[in-house]
């Protein structure tokens, strides 16, 4: 079974700015969400946080009319391999912990990306 088959939610490519803070507030990243679903995101960053880290996220969807302010967990991270000359996309997969309203808004946003 490949990784795509394990996903519960449809993912769509996007380009959304996200602000991520470590749960203890000691680190902050502002970078770009490259794909999104109602349950998770992939953030392209050269400074991925440790797997299983708890984070707080803020980002806008639906043409900036809705702000998502939620918690998340870093499920995996990937650091670029310097031997691949930038052919890798470093970043991290984040499982989102959102309210029912925000989950609905995220699902609507993903559908509108079709």
């Amino acid at each position: 079974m490949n990784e795509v088959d394990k996903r519960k939610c449809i993912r769509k490519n996007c380009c959304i700015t996200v602000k991520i803070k470590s749960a203890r507030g000691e680190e902050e990243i502002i970078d770009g969400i490259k794909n999104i679903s109602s349950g998770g995101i992939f953030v392209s960053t050269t400074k991925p946080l440790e797997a299983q880290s708890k984070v707080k996220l803020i980002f806008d969807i639906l043409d900036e009319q809705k702000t998502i302010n939620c918690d998340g967990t870093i499920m995996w991270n990937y650091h670029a391999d310097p031997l691949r000359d930038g052919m890798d996309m470093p970043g991290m997969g984040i499982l989102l912990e959102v309210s029912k309203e925000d989950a609905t808004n995220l699902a609507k946003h993903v559908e509108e990306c079709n």
Side-chain angles (χ1 to χ4, degrees):
M1 177 185 277
N2 66 35
E3 200 62 31
V4 174
D5 295 333
K6 294 180 186 177
R7 292 186 176 147
K8 295 178 184 177
C9 305
I10 296 171
R11 272 185 193 267
K12 296 294 179 184
N13 292 332
C14 63
C15 186
I16 300 171
T17 300
V18 62
K19 184 182 206 179
I20 302 170
K21 287 187 178 185
S22 62
R24 291 178 271 170
E26 61 213 23
E27 196 163 353
E28 180 175 293
I29 297 171
I30 298 176
D31 238 311
I33 298 172
K34 296 300 178 193
N35 67 49
I36 190 167
S37 76
S38 58
I41 59 176
F42 170 72
V43 176
S44 174
T45 181
T46 57
K47 300 177 191 175
L49 300 172
E50 293 290 322
Q52 302 308 309
S53 297
K54 300 293 184 183
V55 293
K56 301 211 174 278
L57 305 102
I58 299 173
F59 58 95
D60 294 328
I61 59 168
L62 302 173
D63 297 324
E64 300 183 22
Q65 295 176 8
K66 176 63 182 161
T67 298
I68 304 293
N69 190 338
C70 66
D71 294 331
T73 302
I74 310 299
M75 299 307 293
W76 56 269
N77 61 31
Y78 181 74
H79 297 270
D81 183 345
L83 299 176
R84 293 189 37 94
D85 291 327
M87 295 179 66
D88 299 320
M89 184 177 292
M92 53 192 166
I94 304 175
L95 178 65
L96 301 178
E97 300 165 24
V98 296
S99 67
K100 286 185 180 184
E101 178 186 350
D102 285 344
T104 299
N105 287 324
L106 283 168
K108 181 179 176 186
H109 177 74
V110 170
E111 287 173 16
E112 289 178 356
C113 291
N114 284 336

